[in-house]
Amino acid sequence: MKLNGNYKNLEESYLFSTIAHKVNAYAQAHPQANILRLGIGDVTLPLAPAVIAAMQQAVTEMGKKETFRGYGPEQGYAFLRESIQSYYARRGVSLAADEIFISDGAKSDLGNILDLFDVENTVLIPDPVYPVYVDTNVMAGRRIVFADATAENGFLPMPDEGVKADIVYICSPNNPTGAAYSRGQLAAWVEYARKNGAVILYDAAYECFVCEEGLARSIYEVEGAEECAVEFCSFSKIAGFTGTRCGYTVVPNALAGGALNKMWLRRQTTKFNGVPYIVQRGAAAVFTPEGEKQIAENLAVYRRNAKRLSDCLDGLGIRYTGGKNSPYVWLRCPGFDDSWKFFDFLLEEANVVGTPGCGFGKNGQGYFRLTALGGEDATAEAVERLKKLLGK
Ligand code: MLT
């Protein structure tokens, strides 16, 4: 037996596991500390009442012979795919139901989709970005080139004709920087992909936070994107499903002459058993008028948190991006060049946890990410502690 040697090329542990271990060790050594966790982008508000009611109803159905369900349809139940279809249609994007695949989340699909691509492909990944893109390609042994996202380009790298790539990752609104592409900017990426015969893997997990005009919420708002892009999205951030697990991936029929859609169906039907009926019912309730109203209230809380954090940084004179079309605020570490040193300083001096920017790539060194998905009281308290510690 030979092990996959590519794993030796990975960082020793996944970024958020490293943070959790560090914070747990600190908490054990300081049991009195009231630690405020603005690190991992996990939601804190409970599921919306409409979602709970739909899941309860589904539980009842599962307990009755007449309404019990076993294995579900391979791509997900039609009721959920149709509700996603209409969610897109309301934003002017037309999708066929057989282009939508229900899954247990964007992270798994972003990794699993790589089964469909040859190991010889070159991959273009923004730096900094969500570490899953790099890690999954390192595991497979693919060649990776990076697109620098820096303060100079507003953390929104644009295509460079000198760089040839076959698979291009885009995350917008971006995790971790919060920067979001306009439709015009995305059109340039679509043009690059079509010209080079590349595929774009577009992570739209944070689309629900986009509020400014002109910014894209789906890559399919750009003409021709259906010929070169796969889109990944999730119920985690829009509806608090991080623990409940449900997402979806759009694989257009126009992509690679329909080959990719067929291959993804083949892959998923072989390696994935689908999302529980109860969860899919809950997810479908997200896009009902009642669900949308309740979810908008939750998102408003997270937006208020983001505003609080941004106002605090404004007051302290600390440079940052995000916080407007994203639940993440991305700041320059004040007085520190090393993100992990700033992490330790905040944890020890203010008992506030964030995410070191260098965990998202080399260009993240010296930066730090705070999430607005925490509780309202915890965020307000964190702001007070930041003011006290950094305002000196
Ligand atoms: C993050 O903190 O970057 C996210 O929670 C990661 C994820 O959604 O998997």
Side-chain angles (χ1 to χ4, degrees), residues 14 16 39-42 107 130 175 206 237 328 360 369:
Y14 182 55
F16 296 104
I40 190 163
D42 198 1
K107 179 185 184 176
Y130 186 38
N175 178 10
Y206 299 93
K237 317 292 155 147
Y328 297 128
F360 298 97
R369 193 194 77 176

Side-chain angles (χ1 to χ4, degrees), residues 11 13 34 38 60 66 123 167 198 221 225 227 236 274 305 311 315 370 392:
E11 294 289 325
S13 77
N34 170 19
L38 307 187
T60 305
E66 301 73 35
V123 184
I167 300 172
E221 290 168 28
E227 288 173 22
S236 285
N305 284 346
D311 288 349
L370 294 172
K392 286 176 197 158

Side-chain angles (χ1 to χ4, degrees), residues 49-213:
V51 170
I52 293 296
M55 291 206 292
Q56 280 169 338
Q57 163 76 30
V59 168
T60 305
E61 285 173 36
M62 291 299 268
K64 290 195 188 138
K65 200 165 74 197
E66 301 73 35
T67 47
F68 167 78
R69 316 231 180 180
Y71 288 123
E74 297 175 328
Q75 279 188 239
Y77 283 96
F79 63 78
L80 179 53
R81 286 187 292 129
E82 282 158 17
S83 70
I84 292 167
Q85 205 180 7
S86 68
Y87 178 59
Y88 274 77
R90 291 200 287 285
R91 291 182 273 140
V93 174
S94 156
L95 301 176
D98 71 352
E99 295 176 314
I100 302 166
F101 295 75
I102 308 304
S103 73
D104 67 351
K107 179 185 184 176
S108 343
D109 280 9
L110 279 156
N112 293 335
I113 196 90
L114 294 175
D115 275 11
L116 313 191
F117 302 106
D118 193 278
V119 73
E120 293 303 321
N121 287 303
T122 296
V123 184
L124 180 64
I125 303 182
D127 174 352
V129 89
Y130 186 38
V132 167
Y133 315 153
V134 171
D135 286 359
T136 51
N137 279 289
V138 168
M139 287 172 183
R142 257 183 219 95
R143 189 174 101 85
I144 301 174
V145 289
F146 292 96
D148 288 326
T150 60
E152 286 67 43
N153 60 23
F155 296 101
L156 294 170
M158 294 304 291
D160 174 351
E161 271 313 325
V163 175
K164 294 293 168 219
D166 310 297
I167 300 172
V168 177
Y169 283 84
I170 297 178
C171 178
S172 180
N174 183 270
N175 178 10
T177 69
Y181 282 108
S182 69
R183 272 177 220 113
Q185 288 171 315
L186 278 187
W189 278 109
V190 167
E191 193 188 323
Y192 170 92
R194 292 176 73 183
K195 205 161 135 192
N196 290 283
V199 66
I200 295 173
L201 302 182
Y202 189 82
D203 184 350
Y206 299 93
E207 59 80 21
C208 59
F209 286 93
V210 170
C211 54
E212 271 176 302
E213 274 300 307

